[in-house]
């Protein structure tokens, strides 16, 4: 039986509002096996991104984890102090955010931000950290990595920013990579290039992936297993081929039919 690198059990994320409690994530279970890509698919607002942020301990007030457990390599993350979570983020678990334009700090260069991440998690000198930053920019096929290293985020196209974000996520050799709709803001041609890059990374790097998307075409290309999320719950999960070819739940069938109708 393959080892489970991530186990989410009964996760609940609630928001306290003047009108009552909003159960944004309502008791989900997710397992990600070592070396696999697990897809989390569903319409916008169903709780996919919030689930991912919970894994990293990034849910902010008025939101809170109201129940459940998140086990990473067998240890429960829920309830860990901020110092422990900071050591884990970007090192053992890294995330590629949906909007790289807002994920990067606009007042620092790309190279400075990648190097800063290395120095925060690895015991190496600044010169070696700078060399490693350039190596990973090259690894994700950024043309002219030296120029991009010295560029500010606003000077890069969307596709280049996303490649730089992937480089920063990989540079500390994480065991789990969370990808939150990494191609949504890109045009079709650039999207295809990013997906090919991620497939290449999967072959070459010792990393598991949690791939979040609302696009079944992307999920079919990338994922081994899939969980379908609706209104804060997992309504169906299984092998990607089974879910795509023989869905059982009405909601999953509706999602697939909407894709067919658009195409």
């Amino acid at each position: 039986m393959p080892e489970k690198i991530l186990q989410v059990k009964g996760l609940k994320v609630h928001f306290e509002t003047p009108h009552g409690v909003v159960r944004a994530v309502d008791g989900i279970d997710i397992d990600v096996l070592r070396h696999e890509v697990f897809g989390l698919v569903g319409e916008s607002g169903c709780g996919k991104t919030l689930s991912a942020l919970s894994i990293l301990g990034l849910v902010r007030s008025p939101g809170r984890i109201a129940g459940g457990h998140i086990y990473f390599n067998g240890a429960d993350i829920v309830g860990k102090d901020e110092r422990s979570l900071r050591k884990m983020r970007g090192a053992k678990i890294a995330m590629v955010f949906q909007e790289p334009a807002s994920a990067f700090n606009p007042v620092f260069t790309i190279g400075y931000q990648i190097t800063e991440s290395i120095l925060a998690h690895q015991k190496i000198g600044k010169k070696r950290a700078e060399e490693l930053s350039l190596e990973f920019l090259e690894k994700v096929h950024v043309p002219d990595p030296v120029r991009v290293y010295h560029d500010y985020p606003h000077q890069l196209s969307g596709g280049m920013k996303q490649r730089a974000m992937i480089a920063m996520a990989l540079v500390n050799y994480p065991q789990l990579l969370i990808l939150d709709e990494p191609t949504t803001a890109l045009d079709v041609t650039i999207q295809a290039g990013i997906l090919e890059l991620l497939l290449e990374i999967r072959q070459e790097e010792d990393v598991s992936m949690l791939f979040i998307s609302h696009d079944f075409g992307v999920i079919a290309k990338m994922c081994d297993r899939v969980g379908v999320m609706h209104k804060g719950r997992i309504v169906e999960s299984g092998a990607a081929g089974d879910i795509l070819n023989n869905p059982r739940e009405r909601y999953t069938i509706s999602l697939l039919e909407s894709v067919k109708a658009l195409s």
Side-chain angles (χ1 to χ4, degrees):
M1 188 76 179
E3 182 184 353
K4 295 176 181 178
I5 190 170
L6 178 72
Q7 292 176 279
V8 178
K9 294 185 175 294
L11 178 65
K12 297 181 180 180
V13 183
H14 293 174
F15 285 80
E16 305 285 344
T17 76
H19 303 288
V21 177
V22 176
R23 294 173 174 80
V25 178
D26 196 16
I28 67 167
D29 297 322
I30 298 171
D31 292 335
V32 180
L33 307 180
R34 198 169 293 278
H35 308 303
E36 85 162 343
V37 179
F38 183 90
L40 194 57
V41 65
E43 63 191 300
S44 298
C46 69
K48 305 185 300 296
T49 296
L50 193 56
S51 300
L53 294 175
S54 301
I55 294 168
L56 289 169
L58 292 175
V59 177
R60 296 291 179 251
S61 180
R64 63 184 178 89
I65 295 179
H69 301 275
I70 302 169
Y71 297 99
F72 178 68
N73 283 330
D76 197 350
I77 296 170
V78 175
K80 278 188 176 290
D81 60 88
E82 183 62 21
R83 184 178 179 182
S84 299
L85 290 171
R86 283 177 67 88
K87 286 183 178 179
M88 179 190 72
R89 295 184 200 123
K92 295 179 180 179
I93 305 176
M95 186 165 178
V96 175
F97 294 91
Q98 184 174 351
E99 283 288 347
S102 57
F104 278 114
N105 190 321
V107 301
F108 295 108
T109 64
I110 296 295
Y112 177 90
Q113 294 182 65
I114 298 175
T115 301
E116 183 182 45
S117 175
I118 296 169
L119 293 173
H121 295 292
Q122 299 183 41
K123 294 181 180 179
I124 60 176
K126 185 178 180 181
K127 187 174 187 301
R128 176 57 189 144
E130 291 172 347
E131 291 171 352
L132 200 57
S133 298
L134 285 168
E135 286 174 18
F136 271 82
L137 285 171
E138 190 172 353
K139 181 174 283 192
V140 298
H141 308 309
V142 167
D144 196 356
V146 174
R147 179 187 62 79
V148 170
Y149 181 95
H150 294 286
D151 277 346
Y152 289 87
H154 74 272
Q155 294 176 284
L156 302 182
S157 67
M160 284 300 104
K161 276 196 281 279
Q162 195 62 290
R163 286 179 185 270
M165 178 63 63
I166 293 168
M168 187 159 71
L170 292 173
V171 78
N172 290 306
Y173 309 100
Q175 297 171 6
L176 177 65
L177 183 61
I178 300 174
L179 299 134
D180 184 13
E181 304 200 26
T183 60
T184 297
L186 307 176
D187 64 44
V188 175
T189 305
I190 303 300
Q191 181 185 94
I194 294 295
L195 292 178
E196 289 301 323
L197 170 63
L198 293 172
L199 288 171
E200 181 182 316
I201 288 167
R202 183 187 181 183
Q203 294 295 321
E204 296 179 356
E205 305 294 329
D206 182 20
V207 63
S208 305
M209 297 183 186
L210 174 59
F211 197 103
I212 297 169
S213 182
H214 60 260
D215 187 331
F216 260 113
V218 172
I219 290 291
K221 184 180 181 70
M222 293 296 303
C223 301
D224 303 304
R225 293 186 303 121
V226 181
V228 181
M229 198 165 182
H230 180 50
K231 293 184 178 178
R233 298 180 180 181
I234 301 291
V235 297
E236 185 169 4
S237 64
D242 293 340
I243 297 293
L244 291 165
N245 297 315
N246 189 30
R248 301 185 305 274
E249 295 294 324
R250 182 66 233 173
Y251 176 72
T252 310
I253 294 168
S254 297
L255 278 180
L256 288 167
E257 285 177 348
S258 69
V259 174
K260 292 175 184 176
L262 288 170
S263 60

